[in-house]
């Protein structure tokens, strides 16, 4: 059973400068809710019971958002606006926080969750990756496969050849609805091993932490999660699942605008 998950949210958001100097990318509005609200909802819908959000020293607005505002609630009640309290409802999940004091890469961020996770399988949701599915939430799709394999499962999407240099790209063999991963390359500049890129949804066995502890600096001088996955492949099977749904990248301005329009329409219908 996968009960816990990690959301790494300590990055600088450099692709979205200059606005991210003041507003964390995770707090970008999608309709009347911040982006991270939907990511937390996906975790809840996937059966996650406890969530660890990795933040930095400048991400206090995330903590504030998922806290109760007793002053605001009292104000609404005093003004006979109790009907507006429904807008303050938060996803029903236990949320914990830890700070990543230096942006040393995704691998370093996940490593900080070792004590929180313990000896359990767990999920990872990157907050700038959105998957809109009419059926099962993206993370839950991976959990369903974990139940069958008891192995780590990575979310995959087919990506255009010219964009593969921005992703971790896998090499593997198709096996039923899964791909057994044989190799993974971080941001290949040429000759990518396939057109299947890893997107921001993962289920890991706790063995990944041993690989994270042994990490050395990789691409961009950071501790790359991809390198830890490559080490994990030497220890146990790792699978990939092509995730069903439309994927949007919050750091891509065009995709963010499109996603904002979709979420705004949905909220207007509620």
């Amino acid at each position: 059973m996968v009960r816990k998950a990690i959301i790494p949210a300590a990055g600088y958001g450099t692709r979205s400068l200059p606005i991210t100097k003041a507003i964390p990318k995770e707090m970008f509005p999608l309709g009347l809710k911040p982006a991270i609200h939907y990511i937390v909802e996906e975790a809840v819908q996937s059966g996650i019971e406890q969530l660890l959000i990795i933040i930095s020293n400048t991400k206090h607005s995330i903590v504030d958002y998922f806290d109760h505002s007793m002053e605001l609630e009292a104000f609404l009640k005093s003004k006979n606006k109790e009907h507006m309290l429904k807008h303050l409802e938060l996803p029903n999940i236990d949320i914990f926080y830890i700070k990543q004091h230096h942006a040393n890469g995704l691998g370093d961020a996940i490593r900080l969750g070792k004590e929180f996770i313990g000896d359990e399988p767990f999920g990872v949701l990157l907050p700038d990756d959105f998957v809109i599915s009419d059926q099962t939430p993206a993370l839950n799709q991976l959990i369903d496969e974990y139940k069958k394999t008891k192995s780590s499962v990575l979310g995959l999407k087919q990506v255009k050849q010219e964009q593969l240099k921005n992703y971790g790209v896998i090499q593997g063999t198709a096996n039923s609805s899964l791909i057994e991963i044989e190799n993974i390359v971080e941001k290949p500049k040429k000759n990518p091993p396939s057109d299947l890129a890893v997107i921001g949804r993962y289920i890991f066995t706790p063995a990944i932490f041993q690989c994270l502890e042994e990490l050395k600096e990789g691409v961009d001088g950071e501790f790359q999660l991809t390198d830890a996955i490559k080490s994990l492949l030497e220890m146990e099977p790792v699978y990939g699942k092509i995730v069903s749904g439309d994927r949007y990248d919050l750091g891509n301005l065009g995709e963010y605008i499109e996603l904002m329009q979709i979420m705004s329409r949905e909220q207007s219908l509620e």
Side-chain angles (χ1 to χ4, degrees):
M1 183 176 179
V2 181
R3 303 185 309 114
K4 298 180 180 181
I6 296 174
I7 297 179
Y12 287 118
T14 53
R15 289 187 297 161
S16 301
L17 285 169
I19 190 65
T20 44
K21 287 176 61 180
I23 301 174
K25 182 170 58 178
E26 297 81 9
M27 295 300 292
F28 282 7
L30 293 172
L32 296 177
K33 297 177 183 177
I36 196 170
H37 185 113
Y38 296 95
I39 302 299
V40 173
E41 283 185 332
E42 180 184 332
V44 173
Q45 292 163 4
S46 300
I48 299 300
E49 299 172 5
Q50 295 185 328
L51 191 60
L52 177 68
I53 302 181
I54 313 292
I55 59 172
S56 67
N57 292 324
T58 60
K59 301 288 183 87
H60 294 292
S61 58
I62 296 175
V63 181
D64 292 341
Y65 179 80
F66 288 109
D67 195 4
H68 289 284
S69 176
M70 306 305 293
E71 182 179 349
L72 178 56
E73 292 175 13
F75 172 80
L76 292 175
K77 291 176 182 177
S78 71
K79 298 298 182 179
N80 295 318
K81 295 182 178 181
E82 287 91 344
H83 64 283
M84 298 188 71
L85 290 172
K86 64 181 180 181
H87 298 301
L88 302 181
E89 293 177 359
L90 297 169
N92 185 22
I93 189 171
D94 293 329
I95 300 179
F96 303 85
Y97 302 91
I98 192 170
K99 284 186 179 179
Q100 183 186 25
H101 295 289
H102 303 284
N104 289 331
L106 183 56
D108 182 61
I110 303 298
R111 180 184 59 81
L112 295 175
K114 182 177 180 180
E115 290 189 15
F116 170 77
I117 296 300
D119 192 26
E120 297 185 37
F122 65 100
V124 174
L125 306 94
L126 302 193
D128 50 3
D129 259 338
F130 276 72
V131 180
I132 298 179
S133 175
D134 293 334
Q135 301 175 356
T136 308
L139 186 69
N140 205 21
Q141 293 178 40
L142 304 190
I143 291 175
D144 287 342
E145 300 300 339
Y146 170 80
K147 291 176 181 177
K148 302 173 189 175
T149 65
K150 303 302 180 185
S151 298
S152 297
V153 186
L154 316 182
L156 305 175
K157 275 289 188 184
Q158 286 186 304
V159 170
K160 293 179 180 178
Q161 194 74 17
E162 62 270 18
Q163 295 178 349
L164 289 169
K165 63 177 185 257
N166 300 316
Y167 296 91
V169 182
I170 67 103
Q171 176 183 343
T173 303
N175 180 10
S176 185
S177 64
L178 287 176
I179 296 168
E180 186 166 357
I181 297 176
E182 300 160 358
N183 192 20
I184 184 169
V185 180
E186 177 67 14
K187 298 179 179 177
K189 295 182 179 179
K190 58 181 180 179
N191 301 323
S194 73
D195 64 349
L196 291 174
V198 181
I199 62 170
R201 297 294 182 275
Y202 311 79
I203 298 296
F204 286 117
T205 65
I208 190 67
F209 286 112
Q210 178 181 336
C211 304
L212 291 169
E213 292 288 346
E214 297 170 356
L215 270 185
K216 297 180 180 179
E217 288 186 2
V219 174
D220 298 331
E222 297 181 341
F223 294 93
Q224 297 288 349
L225 179 60
T226 300
D227 293 337
I229 294 170
K230 185 175 290 192
S231 297
L232 185 63
L233 286 168
E234 299 175 2
M235 300 169 56
E236 59 186 38
V238 178
Y239 295 92
K241 164 74 173 176
I242 298 177
V243 174
S244 173
D246 297 323
R247 183 245 181 185
Y248 297 87
D249 180 356
L250 199 67
N252 179 299
L253 180 57
E255 293 185 23
Y256 167 63
I257 292 173
E258 184 178 353
L259 183 61
M260 183 164 52
Q261 292 171 340
I262 292 170
M263 295 304 190
S264 297
R265 284 196 301 268
E266 287 187 0
Q267 288 184 26
S268 68
L269 296 174
E270 291 179 357

